[in-house]
Amino acid sequence: MNDSTAKDVSSLLPTGDRMRALVATGIGGTECLEVREMPLPIVVHSDVLVRVFASGINPIETKTRAGSGMAAVVDHPFVLGGEFAGVVVKAPFELAEFQPGDEVWGMLLTPHYQGAQAEYVSVPMMSLAHKPRSLDWTAAGAVPLAALTAWWAVVEAARVHSGQRMLIHAGAGGVGHFAVQLAKFYGAHVVTTASARNHEWLRELGADRVIDYRNERFEEAIDEPVDVVIDLIGNVHDNTGTRSLSVLRNGGLIINVPTGSWPTMHEEVAAAGRGLRASVLKLSPEGRILRTLAQLFDQGDLRVHVDAVFGLDEAAAAHERIEQGHTRGKLVFDLRP
Ligand SMILES: NC(=O)c1ccc[n+]([C@@H]2O[C@H](COP(=O)([O-])OP(=O)(O)OC[C@H]3O[C@@H](n4cnc5c(N)ncnc54)[C@H](OP(=O)(O)O)[C@@H]3O)[C@@H](O)[C@H]2O)c1
């Protein structure tokens, strides 16, 4: 229960039954992106209505817009965006944990819920947490989906622990830069791949070793086998997934995060023998994890890097940037009133 005194949020309440939102109008290029008036999200059960102040941009949005990702299950126009930070404007009931005026962050299970790149989101209490005090709005809005993914991969799936040797592909990206920090925080020896311009920064975040994937074969550079590979690339680039099997110790585990990026993974892992294990990963948007992550940020044990901030009307430029595949950390939309 939140016992803070009620705050006046009247200036943040919706003025009608519609809101401004970024939508994909169909499947295609960035010409399918439009800022439109859309119906307010439906608030039912223990949903909380939040005025969004910032919403991070993730590759799933560009994939869905272009026809993969969640494209098979979305109706158009489709409000984009999976993560946000904002202010509660309507609580589900008087004694609920989240009350008007609370600063929160969360993740939405789209397309079951309407996306976050809009003035308002309706979000289940269980997918919400209080925003870390140490982060400003754009930084906080850029965290939840990417950091939850890193948490599910490193903590829940890989069971990170002291001394564990972990290779994280694409350590400089949205998910990767959180994965590197979480793995290091929980005591792993962290090896990661990135282009040279990101090496010093990744070492500052805690990487023990950074391999320049453009100039070195990582399987040749790694001389001691690793226990776990967190694969944020798959076989879409230079057979990164397949090549990773050779750096795993016997009985080691590979976790493939970009769903569909390596369709033959299980067959290849079985054929390799040596007791290797493999899993894809799908994350669950749990507020309990966001609470722990908020604590790590406020303690100074986790940082977010915001590469660029966009307005909703700059969505085409933001999508093009994500599709180039070389974002450092995160991109984010600023939706403050
Ligand atoms: N299953 C799930 O629930 C789930 C959840 C979240 C994300 N994902 C997927 O996971 C993937 C990663 O997401 P993200 O948000 O971290 O992406 P991102 O931020 O767009 O990743 C960009 C990073 O990838 C690096 N990179 C590009 N090619 C590389 C290569 N061949 N080797 C090593 N690094 C490379 C770039 O580093 P350089 O600039 O140094 O090259 C850049 O920093 C995406 O495919 C995303 O859709 C899945």
Side-chain angles (χ1 to χ4, degrees), residues 192-196 199 210-218:
T192 190
T193 55
S195 52
H199 285 205
V210 191
I211 298 170
D212 179 359
Y213 69 90
R214 293 175 194 257
N215 290 309
E216 264 183 296
R217 304 294 279 176
F218 63 81

Side-chain angles (χ1 to χ4, degrees), residues 98-248:
F98 303 103
Q99 290 296 319
D102 286 358
E103 300 186 353
V104 292
W105 64 351
M107 180 189 150
L108 290 166
L109 262 190
T110 59
H112 295 307
Y113 278 78
Q114 193 157 292
Q117 284 150 16
E119 287 176 300
Y120 295 92
V121 287
S122 164
V123 53
M125 281 204 299
M126 64 186 170
S127 297
L128 205 58
H130 292 278
K131 160 189 163 299
R133 278 186 294 275
S134 56
L135 295 188
D136 65 22
W137 286 113
T138 48
V143 170
L145 188 151
L148 279 167
T149 307
W151 178 279
W152 276 101
V154 169
V155 179
E156 308 275 341
R159 301 266 187 255
V160 62
H161 54 267
S162 180
Q164 188 182 37
R165 291 178 58 81
M166 199 178 279
L167 167 63
I168 299 169
H169 285 301
V175 178
H177 86 301
F178 293 130
V180 165
Q181 294 177 79
L182 287 171
K184 190 65 191 174
F185 178 77
Y186 288 110
H189 176 88
V190 181
V191 182
T192 190
T193 55
S195 52
R197 72 182 182 100
N198 286 316
H199 285 205
E200 196 182 326
W201 172 64
L202 280 165
R203 277 192 287 268
E204 276 168 31
L205 293 184
D208 295 289
R209 174 132 190 236
V210 191
I211 298 170
D212 179 359
Y213 69 90
R214 293 175 194 257
N215 290 309
E216 264 183 296
R217 304 294 279 176
F218 63 81
E219 63 274 40
E220 287 163 15
I222 295 174
D223 35 30
E224 196 180 330
V226 300
D227 301 295
V228 177
V229 175
I230 308 285
D231 172 22
L232 295 168
I233 299 288
N235 270 5
V236 293
H237 185 268
D238 208 8
N239 283 341
T240 299
T242 301
R243 287 165 50 216
S244 295
L245 299 184
S246 68
V247 306
L248 278 171

